[in-house]
Amino acid sequence: MKAYRQNKNRVAIGLVVLIDADTGTLEARLNELASVLNQDKQKNREPNEAIAIFVPKRNIETWIHYLQGETVNEEDAYAKFENNEAVCKTAVEDLADRCYSQSLPEDAPRSLQAACGELQRLLPLLQP
């Protein structure tokens, strides 16, 4: 955050924070991040700052398995794609399009819906 804030008026930059919620909640993880900023005597994210916070519930694999057409929940742990990480590239590109056009299915995990909101918030802030 410090580096972003020190440079945001000199160069066109954004900051993406990606942190799993693990077995906690999205809200708890966001509160934890806010607490760390407070302890460091920094302000919370301002509406005009190009900062997006993505918090997959359980872990990022939950989203990837969902994007590949599986039925998922945000409580179970899903397998990693070790040595085959690129397998999700097409699904992630589709996700970006769906988030941008606000057409993410209603059955998407709640944390993924929140991430789409973060992306929609971020993109206009990155426009020159």
Side-chain angles (χ1 to χ4, degrees):
M1 292 287 276
K2 283 182 184 178
Y4 166 80
R5 288 175 170 156
Q6 289 171 348
N7 292 293
K8 70 179 184 176
N9 294 323
R10 291 187 312 109
V11 293
I13 61 171
L15 174 64
V16 173
V17 178
L18 179 64
I19 184 168
D20 293 343
D22 296 325
T23 58
T25 65
L26 169 67
E27 293 78 13
R29 186 61 85 189
L30 292 172
N31 288 338
E32 182 182 332
L33 291 172
S35 176
V36 169
L37 285 174
N38 188 16
Q39 290 171 14
D40 197 37
K41 299 185 180 12
Q42 292 189 60
K43 297 183 302 183
N44 284 334
R45 173 180 65 172
E46 299 287 333
N48 65 339
E49 290 184 304
I51 300 168
I53 304 171
F54 301 123
V55 186
K57 175 69 172 100
R58 191 65 197 229
N59 54 36
I60 191 75
E61 286 78 18
T62 304
W63 291 359
I64 297 168
H65 283 268
Y66 171 79
L67 295 171
Q68 292 182 326
E70 294 178 40
T71 300
V72 300
N73 63 65
E74 293 187 300
E75 301 305 319
D76 294 338
Y78 293 90
K80 297 189 181 302
F81 297 93
E82 293 186 36
N83 301 319
N84 195 17
E85 290 83 1
V87 71
C88 65
K89 183 178 186 288
T90 302
V92 171
E93 290 170 344
D94 180 55
L95 170 64
D97 291 340
R98 286 178 177 268
C99 286
Y100 187 74
S101 65
Q102 299 184 17
S103 62
L104 188 68
E106 288 185 24
D107 70 341
R110 191 173 78 81
S111 63
L112 185 55
Q113 293 174 14
C116 277
E118 285 290 300
L119 181 63
Q120 291 165 357
R121 185 193 150 291
L122 177 67
L123 290 176
L125 296 171
L126 296 175
Q127 301 299 320

